Amino acid sequence: MSIIKKFFVILFLFIFSNTVVNAETIKPKKTPLKKLSKQLENGKLVKINSYQASDYKGIKEGWYKESPIIVDALITYPEGEGPFPLLLIVHSSGGADEFTADWLEFMRDQQKPLLDMGIATMYLDNFSARGAKHTYRDQSKASLWSTYIDAFMALDYLSKDPKINIKKIGISGYSRGGNLSIMAAEKRLRDILVDKDLYFAASQPRSAECGISGMFRNPTPVKETKIWYVHGLAEDYTLPGPCVELMEKMQAKGADIEIDLREGWYHLFTGNYEPEFAKRTQYFWKCPNFYTEDDGNMNKEFVDLILKNTKIKSLDEYNELSRKNPRKAFKTMFKGLVKEKCIGKGVTEGGNHGKTFMPEYLAFWRENLLN
């Protein structure tokens, strides 16, 4: 497998993640979910109403409602009448193409045994409607916060489906999809975006980026969500430490979380290829920590970095720019990091652990979605 193909799937961080809003024309791309449906020989393509936001501030202040969008999903039911539990499967920065990729069979291989157990599946495409095939070149086409909204909008969509048991919905993904799976258990987002009676029953994030992705410094977990967090200790791309710290904060607030650290495992450990060094892949763990504070703003350390290295003069000025022109705000933020000289290159990806990990993975869903 080529370095370039693997580069498509890596998690770039939230610093690249501002959104194209109404002021700019979005040209949707054809969703790979049509190809996925043919590969799986099942599935119904559906449309989900969602929104866009460049950061939590846009969600907290309601700005996201100014940028509606319709995203794609593929849903498949087991045999029978239901109502069925369901697993929502989300992708990384590689986009929905990774659902169909030969080098990531884990994404498809999970579906049949899930259906055989009586668990429905939904593959969610966060990117195509936003005009992005992948985001390794331009993360501004699909922000992390927009995709967090998508997850909750999918949950809301499923709540109206009589064939689905809405109290038994799971979510899972790696890298950027791991971030999505963590934030699906964030009460502040849930309470703003959907009915407060809705929640994900279980979440299985892998290899997320929690240190410089703008996630909450002080999380407020949905306590009904059981989380099994997996991260490789050999990671040199998304380091495990910041996510372990975040998980421990959530545990201290009553969240039901298992932290599972694997010796010798790297990023994208479910990829069906041996570990390989990707010299062009960028990492950001040398950069200052980037969090969202309780008031919705970026943490002071990161704001100071922007003010020091760009023409932005105040946090208010940055927030105004973020609302009016998120893409320009992104470019300004990235310019600050470039000038800070904290970005590195060269990480190890792969591991060929998909087949050994699968039995544990399926057991988690059997326990938490069927019981």
Side-chain angles (χ1 to χ4, degrees):
M1 175 182 148
S2 71
I3 296 288
I4 295 299
K5 284 185 179 178
K6 286 189 291 178
F7 188 65
F8 288 178
V9 304
I10 63 172
L11 167 72
F12 274 70
L13 310 174
F14 175 66
I15 53 176
F16 296 112
S17 299
N18 293 283
T19 308
V20 181
V21 293
N22 292 338
E24 300 180 60
T25 301
I26 298 173
K27 296 180 180 179
K29 292 188 178 295
K30 181 180 179 180
T31 179
L33 296 180
K34 294 180 180 179
K35 178 180 177 180
L36 177 64
S37 180
K38 292 180 180 178
Q39 288 176 311
L40 297 172
E41 299 181 343
N42 58 37
K44 173 186 175 184
L45 288 165
V46 298
K47 300 287 186 179
I48 296 175
N49 293 319
S50 191
Y51 302 92
Q52 306 214 78
S54 63
D55 49 30
Y56 176 64
K57 191 80 170 180
I59 297 173
K60 183 174 182 286
E61 299 298 329
W63 303 338
Y64 73 99
K65 294 179 182 178
E66 300 171 11
S67 300
I69 197 166
I70 299 175
V71 298
D72 300 288
L74 178 73
I75 188 169
T76 306
Y77 306 100
E79 293 184 5
E81 296 300 320
F84 305 106
L86 178 140
L87 177 59
L88 180 63
I89 304 166
V90 294
H91 58 73
S92 77
S93 292
D97 274 330
E98 72 187 22
F99 295 147
T100 69
D102 292 338
W103 44 266
L104 193 49
E105 294 172 355
F106 182 87
M107 286 297 199
R108 295 188 303 284
D109 287 350
Q110 63 186 281
Q111 198 214 39
K112 185 179 185 303
L114 286 166
L115 293 176
D116 289 346
M117 284 193 289
I119 299 173
T121 63
M122 175 180 276
Y123 289 86
L124 182 62
D125 180 356
N126 299 124
F127 285 1
S128 297
R130 295 183 169 94
K133 184 176 182 180
H134 47 71
T135 56
Y136 75 99
R137 286 179 179 168
D138 185 4
Q139 291 284 337
S140 68
K141 291 182 179 179
S143 80
L144 274 172
W145 292 93
S146 291
T147 61
Y148 299 159
I149 295 174
D150 291 350
F152 283 102
M153 293 301 102
L155 184 64
D156 183 69
Y157 174 93
L158 293 168
S159 73
K160 299 174 176 62
D161 186 339
K163 295 189 72 172
I164 295 301
N165 179 353
I166 195 59
K167 296 299 184 183
K168 291 293 184 178
I169 306 296
I171 184 170
S172 183
Y174 80 95
S175 200
R176 174 190 264 252
N179 282 50
L180 196 65
S181 301
I182 292 171
M183 295 298 277
E186 174 53 53
K187 187 175 184 294
R188 274 173 290 200
L189 292 179
R190 191 277 306 275
D191 289 356
I192 293 173
L193 295 171
V194 297
D195 192 290
K196 294 181 181 181
D197 290 332
L198 296 178
Y199 57 85
F200 287 91
S203 172
Q204 202 289 290
R206 304 180 296 281
S207 306
E209 166 52 60
C210 303
I212 188 170
S213 58
M215 298 170 80
F216 291 107
R217 184 194 295 273
N218 300 308
T220 56
V222 176
K223 295 179 182 178
E224 293 89 346
T225 306
K226 165 66 178 180
I227 299 175
W228 173 31
Y229 185 74
V230 181
H231 210 127
L233 287 173
E235 275 266 16
D236 54 5
Y237 181 45
T238 59
L239 302 186
C243 281
V244 170
E245 180 181 353
L246 178 66
M247 295 296 108
E248 290 174 345
K249 286 182 178 181
M250 294 171 72
Q251 285 176 326
K253 294 185 177 181
D256 185 357
I257 298 176
E258 178 186 355
I259 302 170
D260 188 349
L261 305 178
R262 302 292 176 105
E263 291 284 351
W265 284 24
Y266 296 95
H267 200 69
L268 188 50
F269 56 79
T270 55
N272 43 291
Y273 61 96
E274 294 301 317
E276 187 173 324
F277 188 70
K279 65 180 180 181
R280 294 177 59 186
T281 300
Q282 291 180 314
Y283 62 80
F284 295 82
W285 44 262
K286 291 184 178 180
C287 297
N289 287 337
F290 175 23
Y291 298 109
T292 296
E293 303 288 11
D294 293 341
D295 63 2
N297 289 312
M298 296 179 291
N299 58 300
K300 184 179 184 303
E301 298 90 338
F302 206 79
V303 172
D304 288 345
L305 181 148
I306 294 173
L307 301 185
K308 179 180 75 172
N309 293 325
T310 72
K311 294 181 180 179
I312 297 293
K313 302 300 182 185
S314 68
L315 176 59
D316 287 343
E317 183 181 340
Y318 179 82
N319 285 336
E320 185 66 18
L321 178 62
S322 183
R323 180 177 185 177
K324 291 182 176 179
N325 194 333
R327 179 170 286 188
K328 186 175 181 180
F330 146 71
K331 293 182 183 297
T332 300
M333 185 188 296
F334 182 63
K335 185 185 296 183
L337 287 172
V338 171
K339 195 168 181 181
E340 191 73 10
K341 297 180 180 180
C342 63
I343 302 171
K345 289 185 179 181
V347 306
T348 306
E349 296 177 301
N352 211 16
H353 295 296
K355 284 183 170 52
T356 56
F357 183 66
M358 184 70 78
E360 299 176 74
Y361 180 79
L362 295 175
F364 176 77
W365 300 121
R366 183 181 295 108
E367 178 182 351
N368 290 284
L369 297 186
L370 292 177
N371 294 333

